[in-house]
Amino acid sequence: MRHFIDLKQWDKSQLHHLLQLAQELKSGNVEPSLAHYPVANLFFEPSTRTRCSFELAAKQLGAEVINIDSHLSSIQKGETAIDTALNLKAMGIKIFIIRHKQNDMVQQIADALGNDVAVINAGCGTKQHPSQALLDMFTIMGHKQQFTNLTVSIVGDMLHSRVTYSDVTALQILGVKQINLVAPKQLLPELTAKNIHCFDNINQGLDNSDVIIALRIQKERMDHENLIDYPEFIQRYQLTNDRLQLAKPDAIVMHPGPMNRGVEITDSVADGKQSVILQQAANGVFCRMALLQYVVDASIAI
Ligand code: CP
């Protein structure tokens, strides 16, 4: 068994291989392969999409899934996340799907558990959400011929967004032409590469885009809430129908969720013809099925 912590563990052909496996799973061409595997969803932060789609993915592959709600667990009595995981391993859990607010905690738990079980990163800290990036790439592939001629614009609070870092990593592995990061200066991350361009003007940042990814303001990860002036952010950065006209006519609109409607995105864009936001949620199940197969089947993507 093996862990899946960071997209950087894959090269381009491995990432394509996983995306292809997700496509086969979506087409119904793969037999369930995790029959009776004990899987634990261990979320130390709230989640709707990631937790539910991992649970559905595991069940569709025949696994037995338990969900640990950290608010109802012995974490509340002072137990560490590592001790919780070690106790679950002692009870027979083989696959751990973990979300944690600390950047390195999923890796720390994987190190403590060892290689006879698998750990999957379901989002940690502000830097990594690799299964989200996988489903985002899968969704883009469903609408665009190739990555190498795409301009992808990410708009919103990128400084506190684990999705930004993982999406940028995946887009770079796949050789995307250009990445536009669009945000007020205080919410821009430190990401530099020849094809990464930063904009504090949304009109410039959306110009000629093929893919737009909107992100919410992640105030739960901010040191102080006053970092952002909401009315000003809405006025200058909200994704509206008028602003969408600046992108290519066949541009797709994405959002990892949860959305804050009326803040980073209007209802008409979120529910509009160019939105693929619910397709992302649907595709998440197949991508997470592929990841679950990857961690138990060493023949995949090596
Ligand atoms: N995109 C995402 O991670 O959503 P959840 O927090 O609901 O899992």
Side-chain angles (χ1 to χ4, degrees), residues 16-45:
H16 272 299
H17 195 125
L18 257 285
L19 292 166
Q20 184 59 40
L21 178 59
Q23 186 56 55
E24 285 168 21
L25 287 158
K26 190 172 182 177
S27 310
N29 290 340
V30 178
E31 292 295 312
S33 58
L34 261 65
H36 310 303
Y37 254 89
V39 174
N41 254 335
L42 192 44
F43 278 58
F44 297 94
E45 268 193 351

Side-chain angles (χ1 to χ4, degrees), residues 43 45-53 99 122-123 129 131-132 135-136 162-163 216 221 255-258 280 288:
F43 278 58
E45 268 193 351
S47 167
T48 298
R49 279 146 292 271
T50 312
R51 193 177 72 90
C52 294
S53 60
R99 170 172 289 190
H129 196 348
S131 68
Q132 178 72 44
L135 76 90
D136 286 349
R162 50 175 73 129
V163 176
R216 75 185 168 94
R221 298 194 193 118
H255 194 308
Q280 289 173 266
R288 287 166 175 139

Side-chain angles (χ1 to χ4, degrees), residues 119-131:
V119 171
I120 297 178
N121 185 350
C124 63
T126 55
K127 299 282 187 259
Q128 288 189 33
H129 196 348
S131 68

Side-chain angles (χ1 to χ4, degrees), residues 31-251:
E31 292 295 312
S33 58
L34 261 65
H36 310 303
Y37 254 89
V39 174
N41 254 335
L42 192 44
F43 278 58
F44 297 94
E45 268 193 351
S47 167
T48 298
R49 279 146 292 271
T50 312
R51 193 177 72 90
C52 294
S53 60
F54 267 120
E55 181 174 354
L56 285 167
K59 285 180 171 166
Q60 287 190 31
L61 291 172
E64 307 281 351
V65 187
I66 59 168
N67 291 299
I68 313 293
D69 180 344
S70 62
H71 294 293
L72 298 176
S73 80
S74 290
I75 293 282
Q76 298 304 323
K77 302 177 198 164
E79 185 170 70
T80 66
I82 291 174
D83 278 331
T84 298
L86 287 169
N87 277 271
L88 291 170
K89 179 180 175 182
M91 293 177 213
I93 294 295
K94 292 287 181 207
I95 302 177
F96 293 77
I97 298 160
I98 303 175
R99 170 172 289 190
H100 202 280
K101 68 177 183 198
Q102 210 174 304
N103 278 335
D104 61 350
M105 185 49 75
V106 176
Q107 183 66 59
Q108 279 193 47
I109 294 173
D111 292 344
L113 291 174
N115 292 329
D116 51 340
V117 297
V119 171
I120 297 178
N121 185 350
C124 63
T126 55
K127 299 282 187 259
Q128 288 189 33
H129 196 348
S131 68
Q132 178 72 44
L134 194 66
L135 76 90
D136 286 349
M137 298 308 112
F138 186 85
T139 304
I140 293 171
M141 264 175 51
H143 291 272
K144 304 292 171 189
Q145 297 290 327
Q146 51 189 359
F147 283 88
T148 48
N149 60 1
L150 292 184
T151 296
V152 178
S153 297
I154 308 177
V155 187
D157 175 8
M158 279 165 280
L159 186 65
H160 305 95
S161 166
R162 50 175 73 129
V163 176
T164 302
Y165 289 91
S166 287
D167 273 357
V168 168
T169 300
L171 290 165
Q172 295 291 40
I173 291 171
L174 295 169
V176 79
K177 186 176 83 180
Q178 185 169 326
I179 300 170
N180 295 341
L181 306 180
V182 186
K185 284 192 172 67
Q186 72 272 26
L187 297 182
L188 277 170
E190 282 183 25
L191 282 168
T192 50
K194 230 169 35 190
N195 63 345
I196 295 180
H197 302 267
C198 294
F199 298 90
D200 62 3
N201 180 311
I202 190 169
N203 293 348
Q204 292 169 3
L206 295 182
D207 185 38
N208 227 20
S209 293
D210 299 282
V211 176
I212 302 166
I213 302 173
L215 297 173
R216 75 185 168 94
I217 295 169
Q218 283 140 89
K219 59 175 185 266
E220 76 275 18
R221 298 194 193 118
M222 290 181 180
D223 292 336
H224 53 96
E225 278 194 38
N226 296 340
L227 192 64
I228 191 79
D229 176 335
Y230 274 73
E232 187 188 344
F233 179 86
I234 290 168
Q235 195 207 340
R236 294 189 59 199
Y237 295 99
Q238 186 180 67
L239 189 56
T240 62
N241 268 327
D242 283 349
R243 287 173 171 154
L244 189 52
Q245 306 307 314
L246 299 165
K248 287 189 182 153
D250 64 347

